[in-house]
Amino acid sequence: MMDRTTKALTGQGIALSFGGIEVLKGLDVQFRAGEITGLIGPNGAGKTSLFNCLTGAYTPQKGSIRYDGQPLDGLPPAARASRGIVRSFQHVALSPDLTVLENVMIGVARNHHAGWLHAFLPTGRGRREMAGMRAAAMAALSELGLAQAAEKLPAQLPPGMLRLVEIARAIVGKPDVLLLDEPAAGLNNAETRDLMRSLRRLASPDLVMVVVEHDMDLVMSICDRIYVLNFGAFVAVGSPAEVRADEEVVRIYLGSDDE
Amino acid sequence: MSDQSASLNGTAVGQGRLALRPEALTWAVLLLLLVLPFLLGGSWIFTLGVCFANAIGVLSVSVLVRYGGEVSIGHSFFAAVGAYSVAVLDTRYGLSLIASLPLALALGVVAGVAFAWPSRRLSGIYLAVSTMALALAVPEMINNMDGLTGGYEGLYVSQPVIPGVKMGLQRYYGALIVLALVVYGLSRLRRSRQGLVLLLAKAHPAAADAFGTRRVWARIAVMGISGGIAALCGAMLGFAGSTVSPSGFTLWSAIFLLVGSVVSFYGLTLPRALIGGAFLTLVPQMLSASGAWIPVLYGLALLGVILFGHYLPRLRALARRKGGA
Amino acid sequence: MSDLFRDLFPLVWSGMITGCLYALGALGLVMIFKSSRVVNFSHGNVAGFAAFLIYGFSSGMLMELSWGAAVLLAVIAVIAIAFMTYALISPLVFESDLTATIATLGIGLIAQGATLLIFGADIVSLDLPIPRFGMSVLGLFVTGYDLTVLAVAIVTIAALFFVIDHTKLGVAFRAISENPFAAEVCGLNLRSVHLFSWMVAAVLGVVGALLIVPTTFLSVTTVAAFMLQAFAAAVIGGFASLPGALLGGILIGVLMNLFTFYVSPEFSSTFLLGVILLALNIFPNGILERVGGTRV
Ligand SMILES: Nc1ncnc2c1ncn2[C@@H]1O[C@H](COP(=O)(O)OP(=O)(O)O)[C@@H](O)[C@H]1O
Ligand SMILES: [Mg+2]
């Protein structure tokens, strides 16, 4: 199915439960580089929980997760981040003390290693590092049309913009795997269209991109493959057209338009 | 625990917004303090030196609140580490601050890290309770190592940094310089990569984790920084105050440092730190005749400032509504 | 039997007796914590103030009352203090438990200062009307004090558990400490439950403080120092469990006794620090509320 050269994030038999309640029921996934994968399903289906398992925030009771053939099981979230596996959060998780620009700079922090001396003293290396991080963050903000908000504090921005900042922080570090959790929630139509354009531009043959989204237009138009999750199990996997035609999906998801 | 730290900061003003204005104020205050010894009498110089040292201690507690979202009532431990580094090197080996201050800093950082490791998974009130236990153990440790520490009587710090210069001036300027350096270092930290990730780890540990900053690392780093600064406070308390004894490092001293930090609204700037330091130094001085009023006054100030911080946004909103109507 | 173990039994016994008192203190701390998520750092200072009040009311320093009347007055005083404390910090409780906890330090400072102002820094002796006798039971020397403490502790704790299990306020207390939000939705009044636990805690504190005094003497610091063991007891018990606090108190009492006797009386606070850190590390589950990770 997959040729050897393509990198992929794969999960086999991922099972997760909280206090006896099965949240994920042995999922098999393969998110391939070069594709944008959609992950859809009703609220509470387990989409965020699957992301949490992939990034190491949750430890699944069963199953294994690999990226590019390397097992990730047992690695803490920070170690997975340094392998280039990065996510955005469904509930915006920015520091209220930092400006938008500084919040986004954190997205590249893992690629820099100047020591503590450079944190407290005005060294050249420390300065260059910060300048580099600032430039990268500024570029990511511009890409999402947020350049003018760079010096603002999160409390001064509307929720839709904060979500874009959240995405900017995820993409700024040139990740290998990008997991976006409801990136378009709270965005208006124009912002959503801009976001779709940016995501398409971002797609590259080496990037695994997975998008959890309720906005069907967005998912159907940018995704190459779609996984449909319901009650912790996949009910359908396939191209947008296949998923759209799937009766089960239509019944549980598209049919009930309460999302 | 992010809601706790958020509201802890609700009392204080964000650092980023204050980037411009206080810079000028800081320089003005620093200049004033530099010339003050030429205008004031000797006893005031002494008191101000101790005040600077206390201001450093206030900063050490504020740093923990700002960057860790945690509250400590155990910083007398780290202060004692610094103070005894200076006093022991001074009396036993005749070494001056030049040698003992770096040692104090290093040992303070080590002590901070050493305490942070077993308490790395605690936060909020659990950490506060463990720091209380830490503070309680301090006088006992000092008294039981009396071969080194001089026990109850304590030690006298007398080695000059620059031989020949009046000791009173050395005590004053020594403390002022260290305070200024700590404030400067902290302002750099706020702009550094480490500062940014620590602030994110405070607000959203899971987000920091997801971007490569382990929360255990963040906790240990903040405790190390805070412990190091507290040790500098102790070192300068010994140097500027000339004596070091266990009665200066009790649970109460640690609580007073927290009071100073709250009174300065957890500020990390020079003027804010000085407010906290002055509160800790001048109140006991003024109430020296009736010492029992000191805890009462501190308690009232603590409550007053906290309640003020709590009602301030409401008062502001009220004022705005009145102004609009 | 070897010398090492000859002392063990009496040590454990007397440790259990003091432990009951630590447990009384810890139960108060835990009740306040369970209902309002605040660690009451003023607990020891307020209880110490109350012990001094009893001394003042019964010794002729302030008044010359009978012993029972003095205790009653002091209990009324601490209930009033608990009420005022809660009134002062209740707006903070609903905003941030950590800020409210810092505020209790302020109350503690004031209580400490008030004690100093009214009663001075001197050591006084406060005699309790405790039956003075001693008898040997199975090689163990049991005193009237031991039995009094045991009886008072058992009665108090039984009464406490009865109130929590069978009265309306007690049931509300349990509901709110399980889930404050749901309980409030169900129409339970958070504030009255908070007040209930603050007041009960204050009374428990006075009882504990009074009974510990005969083993030492009364000074500004003795009761506060005693309450620190109560803190340790609460921590060991998981801080959110009443039976845990009881067990923690007895454990701390016994451990401290054994440590001071067999190892060193000079390092007892350091030992306490070690015990607290160890307990928090070994049983983080009883202590950290969340099991299974943060939701993001
Ligand atoms: N930390 C947790 N503790 C307990 N239950 C959880 C936790 N995280 C998720 N769940 C449960 O798992 C289910 C799936 O949640 P989630 O992954 O957030 O769904 P989605 O993102 O698809 O809306 C829900 O029923 C939720 O209550
Ligand atoms: Mg979700």
Side-chain angles (χ1 to χ4, degrees):
Chain A
M1 222 169 92
M2 179 186 84
D3 59 281
R4 290 243 166 97
T5 53
T6 331
K7 294 179 175 179
L9 180 67
T10 56
Q12 271 177 353
I14 301 173
L16 176 75
S17 53
F18 288 106
I21 299 164
E22 279 189 292
V23 171
L24 301 177
K25 300 171 183 164
L27 299 183
D28 294 319
V29 293
Q30 187 181 58
F31 301 133
R32 294 181 213 154
E35 288 185 353
I36 301 181
T37 312
L39 180 59
I40 63 173
N43 272 330
K47 306 179 295 290
T48 302
S49 300
L50 177 57
F51 273 14
N52 283 338
C53 291
L54 295 173
T55 57
Y58 288 171
T59 311
Q61 277 84 14
K62 282 201 208 108
S64 74
I65 294 161
R66 288 163 176 270
Y67 171 65
D68 194 16
Q70 305 282 324
L72 301 176
D73 310 295
L75 286 184
R80 299 189 197 200
S82 56
R83 304 233 174 145
I85 299 171
V86 166
R87 69 179 300 179
S88 76
F89 288 86
Q90 178 181 353
H91 303 288
V92 172
L94 302 170
S95 167
D97 301 321
L98 298 175
T99 64
V100 162
L101 183 68
E102 287 170 328
N103 265 302
V104 175
M105 284 160 75
I106 290 175
V108 268
R110 66 175 186 279
N111 302 334
H112 295 270
H113 308 283
W116 282 104
L117 206 60
H118 307 278
F120 290 106
L121 299 176
T123 61
R125 174 159 177 213
R127 270 207 200 109
R128 275 193 303 280
E129 183 182 278
M130 288 311 276
M133 285 170 64
R134 189 169 288 117
M138 206 60 210
L141 282 173
S142 307
E143 165 67 32
L144 294 168
L146 288 170
Q148 78 291 348
E151 294 304 329
K152 294 241 164 58
L153 288 172
Q156 298 168 301
L157 296 181
M161 268 189 155
L162 293 180
R163 180 153 310 274
L164 291 176
V165 176
E166 175 82 41
I167 296 164
R169 181 176 64 180
I171 65 174
V172 65
K174 305 261 181 295
D176 297 314
V177 176
L178 179 60
L179 308 172
L180 298 174
D181 202 346
E182 307 202 9
L187 300 191
N188 62 29
N189 286 342
E191 285 169 336
T192 305
R193 261 197 314 280
D194 289 345
L195 176 66
M196 273 158 66
R197 221 168 292 138
S198 304
L199 293 183
R200 275 215 202 85
R201 260 202 304 275
L202 203 68
S204 85
D206 292 324
L207 176 66
V208 176
M209 194 187 321
V210 186
V211 183
V212 166
E213 194 38 70
H214 285 309
D215 184 321
M216 277 308 124
D217 292 339
L218 184 146
V219 174
M220 291 297 165
S221 71
I222 69 168
C223 293
D224 305 294
R225 249 164 96 78
I226 296 175
Y227 282 77
V228 186
L229 193 60
N230 196 23
F231 293 117
F234 289 126
V235 291
V237 181
S239 69
E242 287 164 359
V243 165
R244 211 196 300 260
D246 191 297
E247 273 171 34
E248 180 77 356
V249 175
V250 172
R251 197 177 56 74
I252 62 149
Y253 197 86
L254 301 176
S256 63
D257 49 2
D258 57 352
E259 295 296 338
Chain B
M1 306 269 128
S2 59
D3 51 334
Q4 288 169 6
S5 39
S7 34
L8 263 183
N9 287 318
T11 352
V13 186
Q15 290 278 289
R17 271 171 288 174
L18 278 177
L20 288 174
R21 204 164 40 83
E23 214 101 292
L25 182 62
T26 297
W27 282 113
V29 170
L30 193 58
L31 271 177
L32 178 70
L33 292 177
L34 280 173
V35 298
L36 219 49
F38 302 102
L39 311 171
L40 286 177
S43 77
W44 270 106
I45 304 273
F46 178 83
T47 306
L48 280 174
V50 175
C51 166
F52 300 151
N54 274 322
I56 301 172
V58 166
L59 284 174
S60 72
V61 176
S62 299
V63 141
L64 187 62
V65 173
R66 285 307 192 102
Y67 285 88
E70 301 293 352
V71 167
S72 159
I73 47 174
H75 267 46
S76 54
F77 175 79
F78 308 113
V81 167
Y84 279 94
S85 305
V86 169
V88 168
L89 284 198
D90 184 297
T91 46
R92 312 253 176 250
Y93 303 99
L95 291 172
S96 80
L97 210 57
I98 303 280
S100 56
L101 196 63
L103 178 75
L105 177 62
L107 289 182
V109 173
V110 169
V113 170
F115 176 73
W117 179 250
S119 62
R120 65 196 177 281
R121 281 185 301 203
L122 311 179
S123 59
I125 37 211
Y126 300 107
L127 187 74
V129 170
S130 351
T131 59
M132 178 184 75
L134 182 66
L136 279 167
V138 177
E140 178 181 279
M141 291 177 190
I142 297 173
N143 285 327
N144 285 311
M145 294 191 281
D146 50 1
L148 197 65
T149 62
Y152 287 103
E153 278 120 64
L155 298 170
Y156 187 71
V157 179
S158 58
Q159 295 288 337
V161 177
I162 311 165
V165 179
K166 255 203 271 172
M167 206 48 200
L169 285 182
Q170 295 204 27
R171 294 188 199 282
Y172 177 94
Y173 282 112
L176 179 58
I177 289 169
V178 174
L179 171 62
L181 286 178
V182 169
V183 168
Y184 176 75
L186 288 176
S187 78
R188 300 281 329 163
L189 176 68
R190 174 59 184 75
R191 275 156 238 288
S192 71
R193 187 187 86 244
Q194 286 90 339
L196 302 189
V197 298
L198 288 178
L199 284 171
L200 178 64
K202 179 189 77 165
H204 294 284
D209 264 339
F211 286 96
T213 304
R214 296 198 323 278
R215 57 186 95 177
V216 170
W217 173 88
R219 159 59 65 72
I220 289 173
V222 173
M223 274 307 250
I225 295 171
S226 180
I229 297 175
L232 290 180
C233 155
M236 297 325 288
L237 273 177
F239 183 73
S242 73
T243 53
V244 171
S245 75
S247 64
F249 305 98
T250 60
L251 175 63
W252 294 108
S253 347
I255 293 178
F256 291 167
L257 284 180
L258 177 64
V259 172
S261 170
V262 171
V263 167
S264 65
F265 281 103
Y266 313 115
L268 297 182
T269 59
L270 184 64
R272 295 280 197 93
L274 282 170
I275 290 173
F279 195 78
L280 294 193
T281 318
L282 301 184
V283 169
Q285 184 117 348
M286 286 185 296
L287 294 178
S288 55
S290 49
W293 281 103
I294 298 173
V296 176
L297 201 85
Y298 278 9
L300 288 175
L302 190 66
L303 280 176
V305 170
I306 288 177
L307 289 173
F308 175 73
H310 175 78
Y311 287 113
L312 188 64
R314 250 144 283 199
L315 291 177
R316 277 209 192 118
L318 204 69
R320 222 176 296 136
R321 224 172 300 143
K322 278 226 179 95
Chain C
M1 212 184 259
S2 81
D3 277 354
L4 198 63
F5 290 104
R6 198 193 47 216
D7 309 298
L8 188 66
F9 199 35
L11 280 173
V12 170
W13 167 255
S14 66
M16 268 175 56
I17 297 298
T18 357
C20 287
L21 299 178
Y22 297 156
L24 285 179
L27 282 170
L29 289 168
V30 169
M31 278 197 77
I32 290 178
F33 181 72
K34 260 177 96 84
S35 65
S36 51
R37 299 265 120 192
V38 173
V39 174
N40 181 14
F41 278 113
S42 70
H43 203 51
N45 297 110
V46 171
F49 183 63
F52 263 103
L53 277 183
I54 293 171
Y55 162 78
F57 289 149
S58 61
S59 69
M61 187 193 162
L62 302 173
M63 279 184 233
E64 191 125 24
L65 297 175
S66 75
W67 199 80
V71 171
L72 194 68
L73 263 186
V75 166
I76 292 173
V78 287
I79 289 185
I81 294 175
F83 186 86
M84 284 191 305
T85 307
Y86 183 71
L88 257 179
I89 70 165
S90 67
L92 306 170
V93 172
F94 292 97
E95 182 188 277
S96 151
D97 38 6
L98 204 48
T99 312
T101 295
I102 300 178
T104 66
L105 279 172
I107 306 278
L109 283 166
I110 296 173
Q112 168 95 350
T115 312
L116 275 170
L117 278 173
I118 301 174
F119 301 99
D122 294 336
I123 291 169
V124 303
S125 67
L126 174 61
D127 280 323
L128 299 191
I130 282 177
R132 278 171 213 285
F133 63 84
M135 56 182 177
S136 229
V137 183
L138 299 172
L140 192 69
F141 192 69
V142 177
T143 65
Y145 169 77
D146 293 351
L147 295 182
T148 313
V149 168
L150 213 56
V152 172
I154 289 174
V155 168
T156 316
I157 293 169
L160 175 68
F161 281 99
F162 180 82
V163 166
I164 289 176
D165 278 343
H166 297 285
T167 66
K168 228 178 128 208
L169 261 178
V171 174
F173 167 80
R174 273 189 299 158
I176 279 174
S177 42
E178 299 289 313
N179 186 341
F181 180 69
E184 197 171 26
V185 168
C186 297
L188 291 171
N189 184 347
L190 276 181
R191 276 174 210 276
S192 63
V193 173
H194 286 178
L195 260 177
F196 162 76
S197 54
W198 278 79
M199 288 175 179
V200 170
V203 175
L204 289 175
V206 177
V207 175
L210 257 190
L211 289 175
I212 198 76
V213 170
T215 61
T216 55
F217 42 79
L218 183 56
S219 83
V220 196
T221 49
T222 38
V223 176
F226 149 70
M227 278 304 172
L228 298 168
Q229 333 266 344
F231 264 100
V235 166
I236 288 193
F239 229 112
S241 145
L242 292 175
L246 184 57
L247 241 134
I250 291 171
L251 206 63
I252 284 284
V254 172
L255 281 179
M256 291 298 285
N257 240 8
L258 294 181
F259 181 83
T260 39
F261 188 84
Y262 287 115
V263 186
S264 141
E266 275 107 41
F267 282 100
S268 56
S269 298
T270 317
F271 175 66
L272 213 55
L273 168 68
V275 169
I276 287 184
L277 285 179
L278 206 69
L280 286 172
N281 264 286
I282 297 178
F283 318 108
N285 278 356
I287 289 148
L288 304 174
E289 319 134 54
R290 291 174 269 96
V291 187
T294 334
R295 292 182 91 160
V296 286

